[in-house]
Amino acid sequence: MSTPESRDTIRSIDQQILELLQRRCLAMKADDDGKDDERQVSISWAQTLCIIDQLVADQANSPIGQDDQRDVLRHIASTCWRASHPGAYAFLGPMDSYSHLAAIAYFGEGANLLPVSSIGTVFETVGRGDCAGGIVPIENSTDGRIVDTFGRLSQGEASIVGEVQLAIHHQLLAMCDRESITEVHSKPQAISQCRLWLNTHLPKAKLIECSSTAAAAKLAASQPGIAAIASEAAGRRQGLRVVGANIEDNRNNVTRFAVLGHDQPTPSGNDKTTLLFQVAHQPGALADVMGIFKQHDLNLTWIESFPQPGTHNEYFFVVEFPGHQQDTKVANAIEALQSATHHTHVLGSYAKGARAEG
């Protein structure tokens, strides 16, 4: 049972926390006022996330778990950020979609997050400067690359300034018991990622595709017998029951999201670079380019090819590798690529994203 002394101590500590929050906001504003170029904002946010991760790593013996510590600090940082930087950050909506959860994981719950209708709209709002940044899906461990994202990245509207690796946990949500479900609604990717579970547990239910997992949850809340595959957050918002937990067939189902902006994050010590290049359509051209990465001791962790719009049998390639474009060997490799390709464009050098739970 608490005592007056302990309650007074807690109240005093809370007062100190509020005073420190005010000091943090004022310090952030003073730092921004001292900058000549307001485009440095995204760099500072990326650095803030790195600092938070470092601080948490040094508090391994705290009675508060490291994930909880990170969440609290990110919320504080994003709340202070919003107080001095009122810009919005776009994501593929609606609210409670997995893109929304990824945006919260990166920008924090205190950020001004703006849901938009498509991946293209995220790029457009960031490209026009209507939003300070945005977040888009780039790859899923089950379904592979997100073509719409790379099509827009190739146009150079925005750069990648960060990433989020979101573990995707699909919940079967409904107002009724599982035995009463006649239809299951969700977006095509979510249905695909749960097909084995659905065939085993709901073989007679009709599978119906819709625009988003959040839209499916909203529909399930309004009609008995309809279930949705969506996030737990979507279920809470709509007052739905979880009648099947974590029904994804792949227990390591992860979607990687790219954070968009116009700035160049400074090296964090744990970075990766994503770049795009085009080669001549002739034998050995791609092999010659691959040799450049080997010569400069760069380990390619991802490579994808995409058709070039308006051309016949012409492709551009996207690759990723550890390191920052300001690192000597990366800079030398990029210089060699520019001489050996039709076009080389660095899509971004940024800190490797930590895994977050969806």
Side-chain angles (χ1 to χ4, degrees), residues 41-64:
V41 164
S42 292
I43 299 175
S44 296
W45 179 249
Q47 290 173 339
T48 296
L49 297 182
C50 291
I51 292 170
I52 288 173
D53 288 341
Q54 292 166 3
L55 288 172
V56 170
D58 293 338
Q59 299 294 322
N61 295 324
S62 170
I64 302 174

Side-chain angles (χ1 to χ4, degrees), residues 196-209:
L196 178 61
W197 191 96
L198 293 169
N199 288 342
T200 301
H201 297 89
L202 290 173
K204 296 182 180 180
K206 185 176 182 181
L207 307 181
I208 300 177
E209 297 178 356

Side-chain angles (χ1 to χ4, degrees), residues 243-264:
V243 295
N246 299 342
I247 68 170
E248 63 276 3
D249 298 330
N250 178 5
R251 294 306 180 189
N252 294 309
N253 186 23
V254 176
T255 296
R256 188 157 59 99
F257 292 82
V259 182
L260 305 179
H262 294 289
D263 306 295
Q264 178 54 64

Side-chain angles (χ1 to χ4, degrees), residues 7-66:
R7 289 195 295 269
D8 288 343
T9 299
I10 292 172
R11 178 182 177 85
S12 176
I13 293 172
D14 288 343
Q15 180 64 37
Q16 293 175 54
I17 290 173
L18 291 175
E19 291 171 356
L20 288 171
L21 284 173
Q22 183 177 0
R23 285 178 56 190
R24 192 187 190 285
C25 285
L26 292 174
M28 179 181 292
K29 186 177 187 306
D31 184 53
D32 292 330
D33 290 344
K35 293 175 180 175
D36 296 327
D37 185 356
E38 62 183 14
R39 282 160 49 87
Q40 296 176 2
V41 164
S42 292
I43 299 175
S44 296
W45 179 249
Q47 290 173 339
T48 296
L49 297 182
C50 291
I51 292 170
I52 288 173
D53 288 341
Q54 292 166 3
L55 288 172
V56 170
D58 293 338
Q59 299 294 322
N61 295 324
S62 170
I64 302 174
Q66 290 190 316

Side-chain angles (χ1 to χ4, degrees), residues 52 83 157 202 246 312 338 349:
I52 288 173
E157 296 170 287
L202 290 173
N246 299 342
H312 181 64
Q338 290 170 339
S349 287

Side-chain angles (χ1 to χ4, degrees), residues 1-9:
M1 182 176 295
S2 64
T3 64
E5 291 79 10
S6 64
R7 289 195 295 269
D8 288 343
T9 299

